[in-house]
Amino acid sequence: MTAGMQRSERERWEAAISHLSIFAYWLSLPAFIIPLVIWLVERQERPWAAGQALQALLYQLAAFVVFFLLGTVWVLLIILLAVTILGIALIPAVVILGIPLLLLYVVVTYGYAVYAAVQTLDGRDFRYWLVADLAGIR
């Protein structure tokens, strides 16, 4: 299929907006609501856009859960280190290493969503690695 030839402009924009809605987290908004609404509204008339929205929804939820778990493990590690004399000396290193690693995770997560948006805006099929497979999305 030639990129964008069989997808309407509306479908391509709905798919791209679904993927880019991850940036709503910066505004302290639950970003997954945008692809959820697109999926609910378009699943009958525009199944391709709805499928992209469902993938974006699942990806954003998975990314949020993983970020929460990573942050929790990081904080628990700091707390565990704080209860020992030797551990107290390691806290600065854990903090200094943890912040860049969490930021790298965010940059990669958002970058992947931007890549998905660019692909779908061009009318190409996009499948998030693991997310689409685990959800059984074709």
Side-chain angles (χ1 to χ4, degrees), residues 6-24:
Q6 296 180 356
R7 311 282 184 225
S8 71
E9 185 174 356
R10 178 178 173 163
E11 278 185 299
R12 290 182 285 137
W13 275 104
E14 286 175 339
I17 288 168
S18 294
H19 296 294
L20 291 175
S21 67
I22 196 168
F23 286 94

Side-chain angles (χ1 to χ4, degrees), residues 22 25 58-69 105 109:
I22 196 168
Y25 284 119
L58 296 173
Y59 175 72
Q60 290 172 16
L61 289 173
F64 179 79
V65 167
V66 169
F67 181 78
F68 179 79
L69 291 174
Y105 174 79
T109 301

Side-chain angles (χ1 to χ4, degrees), residues 109-128:
T109 301
Y110 281 55
Y112 196 31
V114 169
Y115 177 75
V118 169
Q119 293 297 305
T120 57
L121 195 55
D122 198 29
R124 296 186 181 132
D125 287 328
F126 182 81
R127 293 174 48 82
Y128 283 106

Side-chain angles (χ1 to χ4, degrees), residues 5 14 29 46 62 73 80 82 96-97 107 123 130 134:
M5 295 297 281
E14 286 175 339
L29 299 172
R46 294 176 184 83
V73 167
L80 288 173
I96 289 170
L97 289 173
V107 167
L130 288 180
L134 290 174

Side-chain angles (χ1 to χ4, degrees), residues 31-60:
F32 62 86
I33 289 175
I34 296 167
L36 176 63
V37 168
I38 291 173
W39 177 70
L40 288 171
V41 170
E42 299 296 353
R43 61 186 166 171
Q44 297 300 320
E45 279 190 49
R46 294 176 184 83
W48 180 79
Q52 292 298 316
L54 181 58
Q55 281 192 77
L57 168 69
L58 296 173
Y59 175 72
Q60 290 172 16

